[in-house]
Amino acid sequence: MESNLQGPMMTRATLLRAMGAAALLPLVGGSLAACAPAAGGGGTATSGKVVFMFYGGADAQKAYNKLFESFAKKYPDIDIKAQGISADTWADFLNTVSTRIAGGQQIDVIQVATEGQKLFANRDILEPLDAFIKKDKGFVDEYYADTPPQLREWLNTYGSPDGKTYYMPVGYNTMALQVSKKVFSDAGVELPAEGWTWEEFRAAGSALKKSSGAFLTVAGSGYFTDVMPWLVTNGVSTMDPEWTTPTFYTPEAVEALEFVRSLVVDKLTPKPGGSFDAATQMKQGKVATFGGGRWPTVGFQDLKMVDQVALRAWPANKASGTVVGWEGWPILRGSRNKEAAWTLIKYLMSEEYGEAITGGGASFVPARISITKGDLFTSNAPENSTLLYEQLETAVPLPAPEQATEYARIIEEAWGQGVTGAKSPEVALREAQAKLEELLS
């Protein structure tokens, strides 16, 4: 199985491809026969063919095929065909989908992360879900009542150009520090019970280096995993809240990049670049923290080190908070069997399905609050794992305009230049800002 753990230069696109398989692979050996949705009323179809398309490769394909064998036990007359597209970016994924639609291929349901939602909705290829929601009001109301309101708000704000509902919430990831209690303890360095400031974080790194030689953290350039956490905790983002104007070049953003660069200069992080298995290095006592959402839990389980890890909020400077990314399920406008497609989405929304993927090792936080607060989510997981849910109150959405792929590339290139010292933070971000403005003009 491909690792979910970030290396210093891992992009969110790469991460999402890994997550697609990892969220489901643990289910292959189990059974989801009980994972049928509650009775939903008039929106339930019991026959037809449904093509479910997702962003992923061969491993995810096998997992989905197995998953829908279980779906077939409940709906034997609905023929589910899972089709993965192993694209490099969400733009490539959409282009492939568009080409197949133009060629007459049936596509019914797709799974779309933050980076593709605005792009998909603005291409006029999605079916409004409002009529299905109305027919299955009881079931949907129960689901909504058990999901964070922020997910619906963000899906409506950034994934709907006309006020209609195009996506049902799947799950999300916020970013937290994965902290080795053992590395801190062995070095005799105190681990804060709650938050810490940037300077307190740096001071802990200096103490670790002096005592044990362990690195404090990992410095990379991934838009979601490395850039946004430092910007958010300094009170800024890469765009305005409406996702219309780039704001990458600000004094606060420069300050954030200068801070991360200082960690590299002071040798409190490994040399940026290349691959770096952070969890294994943590297991060996060589690194004390690294950033991640839910996905590192699977790696910690494999390494039998879950009890050594605790989650902590990202160190703050001018603000406390986190970045958040989420996924949604839409139905394609050209679907030939929309009722059966809605039945599939209801199945994926069910409590039983949510419990199954959580118990199986899902690499995202499930949308259902009841599951996130339950034993399935917290058992065999790092201490304080519910922080990933609690942080939604201060979460800043990952900006993803229609040109999200190129937008992220420009940001990651500039941040990488600043982290490695190829360019000064001031120059790197100023040049990137100009490119972002040109891209969106």
Side-chain angles (χ1 to χ4, degrees), residues 69-366:
E69 287 178 12
S70 299
F71 175 86
K73 295 178 181 179
K74 177 65 177 179
Y75 298 105
D77 295 325
I78 297 181
D79 182 18
I80 301 295
K81 299 294 185 184
Q83 296 183 4
I85 296 177
S86 185
D88 289 333
T89 66
W90 277 102
D92 291 339
F93 176 76
L94 176 61
N95 287 336
T96 301
V97 171
S98 299
T99 299
R100 295 187 182 187
I101 291 173
Q105 179 179 341
Q106 176 185 346
I107 302 174
D108 301 281
V109 178
I110 50 180
Q111 186 157 327
V112 188
T114 309
E115 290 86 340
Q117 287 165 12
K118 191 176 184 71
L119 185 65
F120 273 60
N122 286 350
R123 290 289 182 90
D124 195 32
I125 63 171
L126 304 182
E127 177 73 13
L129 301 179
D130 303 270
F132 298 105
I133 293 171
K134 183 177 180 179
K135 285 192 293 184
D136 277 313
K137 186 176 184 300
F139 177 75
V140 174
D141 283 352
E142 183 275 330
Y143 186 64
Y144 279 165
D146 197 23
T147 59
Q150 294 93 337
L151 294 185
R152 300 195 302 279
E153 175 188 344
W154 295 327
L155 286 169
N156 291 333
T157 299
Y158 302 114
S160 174
D162 54 11
K164 297 177 182 177
T165 303
Y166 290 97
Y167 297 95
M168 296 305 297
V170 178
Y172 58 93
N173 261 307
T174 57
M175 282 289 292
L177 278 178
Q178 320 281 318
V179 181
S180 172
K181 298 182 290 183
K182 186 175 187 302
V183 171
F184 272 82
S185 176
D186 288 351
V189 178
E190 183 178 357
L191 176 63
E194 295 182 3
W196 43 18
T197 66
W198 284 5
E199 289 308 319
E200 289 170 339
F201 186 59
R202 183 206 298 276
S206 297
L208 286 166
K209 180 180 179 182
K210 182 178 180 180
S211 176
S212 67
F215 290 115
L216 170 64
T217 193
V218 179
S221 63
Y223 181 28
F224 180 79
T225 55
D226 301 284
V227 180
M228 281 296 294
W230 294 110
L231 295 184
V232 170
T233 52
N234 213 28
V236 291
S237 181
T238 69
M239 296 192 82
D240 65 326
E242 290 73 34
W243 291 5
T244 57
T245 305
T247 60
F248 196 32
Y249 179 51
T250 63
E252 293 81 5
V254 172
E255 182 183 26
L257 183 48
E258 287 174 341
F259 179 78
V260 178
R261 173 59 184 162
S262 74
L263 299 180
V264 175
V265 171
D266 293 343
K267 298 183 179 179
L268 301 182
T269 75
K271 185 177 179 180
S275 76
F276 184 85
D277 187 337
T280 298
Q281 295 297 310
M282 182 178 281
K283 173 77 171 180
Q284 295 173 356
K286 296 178 181 179
V287 64
T289 78
F290 65 91
R294 178 65 172 181
W295 66 89
T297 297
V298 178
F300 293 141
Q301 291 169 348
D302 291 343
L303 292 169
K304 302 187 187 313
M305 58 178 292
V306 168
D307 60 344
Q308 300 177 16
V309 181
L311 300 193
R312 291 290 185 270
W314 210 266
N317 192 39
K318 290 184 171 67
S320 298
T322 179
V323 63
V324 63
W326 59 91
E327 297 191 15
W329 292 300
I331 295 176
L332 272 290
R333 187 180 295 277
S335 170
R336 300 171 190 171
N337 198 341
K338 296 182 177 69
E339 291 288 347
W342 175 246
T343 299
L344 171 61
I345 290 179
K346 286 176 58 184
Y347 164 75
L348 298 172
M349 291 161 58
S350 70
E351 183 176 1
E352 292 85 355
Y353 169 81
E355 290 177 346
I357 62 168
T358 302
S363 52
F364 57 85
V365 183

